[in-house]
Amino acid sequence: MANPTAPRHPILFYQPLRLIFQLAYVGSIFARLPVWLAISFVPLLRPHPKWNAKQTLLARVAHALVDMKSYIGISDPITLEPGAEGDRFQVIKPFSPEFYTGPLSSSPNAKPAPVGGTWCPKRPRTSGPAGITMLYLHGGAFIQGDGRDEYCGFPNKTMIKLGVAETLFSLQYRLSGYGGQNPFPAALQDALTGYLYLLRTENIPADQIVICGDSAGANLAIALLRYLVEYGSSLDIPMPRCVTLFSPWVNMLQFDFSSSNSKQWGTDFLPNGFLKWGAETYTSGVVNPEKDGYITPLGNPFATKVPMFVNVGTAEIFVEAIREWVGEMKKFDRGNRVEFKEEDAAPHDTFLVADKLGFEESAEDVLRATAEFVQRCG
């Protein structure tokens, strides 16, 4: 059912305006490149004193490319075809309708649907216990990403390499977009489908499953945990071993960052337009999304016995909101078990983009701490 109130595509979505804009914007990148190079190679000019030239330059380029994409507003296409992942890619059908209740049945514009996912390093040969298994929910503002090797190669491979998990299932949840494409709760329905698949199809014990997410995927992981807390008992869905969150998007309704309200505005690569695009399309049709804990974790804490690991970069624009949310969760009720780590001088979500921005060493240090946390949860 189409939603007539859904946000419409921006005018630059349409040709030939799109092509003209892209050519002009790329030209502006080349025009700005000498300035960026000067800033990158002169330490006193760098936005952060602990950044090197590579990190400084790549952060500026990343900001420009994401900004250009935001003006056009085309969500990444996804497919249920195996593609390059071959037999590591799995298509899952939704489970019985009764599992998708409460907030998961709140919209006529989002119904449970088949969802794909990629196994890393390979699909288990037999079902049952096989060590720690990660259900990974990727970042991308709910409008980009597919969980596959090209997009999530660094986190998928590094988590296995550093022993965070023995196997990993990277979910390709449905993306939102202009024109009413897959608004809330479509992605959350898919996240539940992925979790049920590991439990009921692969027969992996719940105490060996870790739910992991970064940025928008971390928002989704928090929502999935909340759903399990509120409905898991009545639906006979057990709790996971723990949840690991990297740069969680805890307040998606804030997308007006500037140098006047964020000390990290100059040290992050997320433009406001990208955040606005993701937030408006994901929450399309939702009444008071800022009051809905499934969408906005900040200000809506809840009690859970599931341990949580939360990482944030001290140079990212979400740092203050994440600190506040962690404080809320630690204090709520009798207190939740939350292990909080601040990644020094890191921009947003190095977990996902470290290899693209030159923060591999920093991200790997965080993942070593994550592996220790997961082991302590046993």
Side-chain angles (χ1 to χ4, degrees):
M1 181 185 298
N3 180 6
T5 65
R8 296 185 178 183
H9 290 91
I11 190 171
L12 293 176
F13 167 82
Y14 301 98
Q15 297 287 17
L17 292 177
R18 186 199 311 171
L19 178 59
I20 296 171
F21 168 76
Q22 289 173 315
L23 291 173
Y25 200 105
V26 171
S28 76
I29 291 177
F30 281 104
R32 288 177 282 174
L33 193 56
V35 177
W36 294 344
L37 287 169
I39 293 173
S40 300
F41 286 97
V42 179
L44 289 176
L45 297 178
R46 294 172 189 164
H48 199 291
K50 294 185 178 180
W51 285 10
N52 59 36
K54 177 182 178 181
Q55 293 166 337
T56 302
L57 178 60
L58 292 179
R60 292 303 90 202
V61 173
H63 184 280
L65 293 176
V66 175
D67 188 51
M68 179 175 67
K69 183 174 183 177
S70 304
Y71 279 101
I72 298 169
I74 301 178
S75 301
D76 286 358
I78 59 174
T79 175
L80 294 179
E81 295 298 319
E85 288 67 32
D87 61 2
R88 293 189 296 116
F89 187 79
Q90 178 70 37
V91 177
I92 316 162
K93 293 182 179 180
F95 286 78
S96 300
E98 61 265 22
F99 285 112
Y100 307 89
T101 188
L104 297 193
S105 60
S106 61
S107 172
N109 301 306
K111 302 294 184 181
V115 59
T118 300
W119 283 103
C120 186
K122 59 183 179 180
R123 184 180 180 184
R125 293 185 178 180
T126 58
S127 63
I132 300 299
T133 298
M134 184 81 71
L135 173 62
Y136 172 43
L137 308 171
H138 67 79
F142 294 108
I143 47 180
Q144 73 176 23
D146 56 11
R148 297 182 186 239
D149 294 345
E150 183 176 353
Y151 188 80
C152 296
F154 177 80
N156 290 356
K157 293 177 182 178
T158 308
M159 281 196 284
I160 300 299
K161 180 182 75 172
L162 297 181
V164 182
E166 279 72 31
T167 56
L168 179 149
F169 188 66
S170 183
L171 195 71
Q172 180 184 272
Y173 58 84
R174 284 171 289 173
L175 301 177
S176 300
Y178 288 114
Q181 174 184 317
N182 300 322
F184 176 87
L188 184 53
Q189 292 168 346
D190 294 346
L192 178 62
T193 298
Y195 186 61
L196 291 174
Y197 163 70
L198 296 181
L199 287 171
R200 295 173 176 258
T201 303
E202 295 295 334
N203 297 313
I204 299 172
D207 63 4
Q208 293 185 12
I209 298 176
V210 176
I211 298 175
C212 171
D214 62 281
S215 193
N219 176 291
L220 200 54
I222 296 168
L224 177 58
L225 177 59
R226 180 187 289 267
Y227 185 82
L228 296 177
V229 167
E230 295 184 356
Y231 297 94
S233 179
S234 62
L235 296 173
D236 193 26
I237 307 175
M239 294 292 176
R241 179 188 187 93
C242 60
V243 173
T244 59
L245 308 168
F246 302 89
S247 299
W249 198 7
V250 296
N251 186 17
M252 71 168 64
L253 280 304
Q254 181 185 5
F255 39 74
D256 58 348
F257 294 97
S258 68
S259 58
S260 64
N261 63 18
S262 174
K263 296 178 181 179
Q264 293 75 26
W265 174 242
T267 55
D268 212 340
F269 62 90
L270 290 177
N272 286 327
F274 183 71
L275 301 175
K276 185 174 185 289
W277 171 21
E280 289 187 346
T281 56
Y282 184 65
T283 64
S284 175
V286 178
V287 178
N288 296 325
E290 68 278 359
K291 302 291 186 181
D292 190 331
Y294 285 93
I295 292 173
T296 308
L298 183 62
N300 298 289
F302 61 98
T304 176
K305 295 181 180 179
V306 177
M308 288 176 283
F309 177 91
V310 183
N311 181 74
V312 64
T314 61
E316 68 168 289
I317 56 177
F318 291 168
V319 61
E320 295 301 333
I322 294 171
R323 286 171 178 162
E324 185 178 351
W325 177 73
V326 167
E328 291 177 348
M329 291 297 288
K330 283 185 174 182
K331 295 176 182 178
F332 189 76
D333 196 22
R334 297 181 180 180
N336 297 308
R337 179 182 168 187
V338 183
E339 185 167 316
F340 185 44
K341 181 175 177 57
E342 296 195 5
E343 186 180 357
D344 187 41
H348 179 68
D349 201 3
T350 59
F351 175 84
L352 178 64
V353 300
D355 59 329
K356 299 175 179 66
L357 299 183
F359 285 87
E360 295 93 336
E361 183 177 348
S362 178
E364 289 188 2
D365 285 344
V366 171
L367 285 174
R368 290 187 184 94
T370 308
E372 294 173 0
F373 169 80
V374 170
Q375 291 303 315
R376 289 197 300 271
C377 292

